[in-house]
Amino acid sequence: MRKREKYSSDFKLQVVKEYLNSDKSQNDICSEYNISQSAFSRWVKIYEESGYDDNVFNSKKGRPKSIISDISKVPPFIYESAGIIRNDSNKSNDSASLKKRLEYYERLLLEKELLIKMQEDEINF
């Protein structure tokens, strides 16, 4: 059993295009580039099912990184539109303060969910 290789998206696209644009068989391509038959067949299938989209192999796998990399750079209007009161002068982290903030956000979330439910009921009425 071979060690599992990781191939770049450019390599996959190049090899699949070479196969589709030439008279070489899948066996020839797999032997020439030392690729497993199953992996190569999967690449060809993915490329064909994508409608021959050259970007089909460029997808990132794994957990997406946060959109906000630095919370301090979030513009104030984002906080306002979300109904969040940001007070930099009061950065209290004591448990009582955190508990109050948690209760506030829980209540806010419940209110938003209730409004959404009411709007859904009006639409379905």
Side-chain angles (χ1 to χ4, degrees):
M1 190 158 147
R2 263 192 262 184
K3 180 182 173 190
R4 186 177 173 133
E5 289 279 336
K6 183 161 175 103
Y7 300 98
S8 72
S9 56
D10 292 334
F11 175 77
K12 292 176 187 178
L13 182 63
Q14 171 203 338
V15 176
V16 169
K17 280 186 168 185
E18 181 179 337
Y19 164 70
L20 293 173
N21 295 327
S22 70
D23 294 332
K24 293 181 182 178
S25 69
Q26 283 193 8
N27 286 337
D28 294 338
I29 295 287
C30 291
S31 296
E32 183 178 339
Y33 292 102
N34 197 21
I35 305 169
S36 74
Q37 286 278 337
S38 61
F40 185 68
S41 297
R42 192 170 48 251
W43 298 348
V44 172
K45 182 179 179 184
I46 290 169
Y47 186 66
E48 289 174 340
E49 288 178 352
S50 74
Y52 303 98
D53 179 11
D54 288 352
N55 293 317
V56 72
F57 299 115
N58 289 333
S59 66
K60 300 268 184 188
K61 293 191 176 182
R63 187 179 201 173
K65 293 184 179 177
S66 174
I67 296 171
I68 303 170
S69 60
D70 186 0
I71 196 80
S72 68
K73 294 182 181 176
V74 175
F77 74 89
I78 299 293
Y79 286 97
E80 292 169 8
S81 67
I84 298 171
I85 300 167
R86 185 172 175 211
N87 188 356
D88 290 335
S89 63
N90 185 15
K91 290 189 177 182
S92 174
N93 283 335
D94 64 340
S95 61
S97 172
L98 292 174
K99 188 174 181 178
K100 279 179 120 175
R101 287 176 47 200
L102 178 61
E103 289 170 356
Y104 168 76
Y105 289 121
E106 285 175 342
R107 188 174 65 251
L108 187 65
L109 178 62
L110 289 172
E111 289 172 0
K112 301 276 184 192
E113 288 177 354
L114 181 60
L115 285 172
I116 290 170
K117 179 69 175 146
M118 290 169 54
Q119 290 175 347
E120 286 175 348
D121 289 345
E122 286 179 13
I123 291 172
N124 294 330
F125 182 67

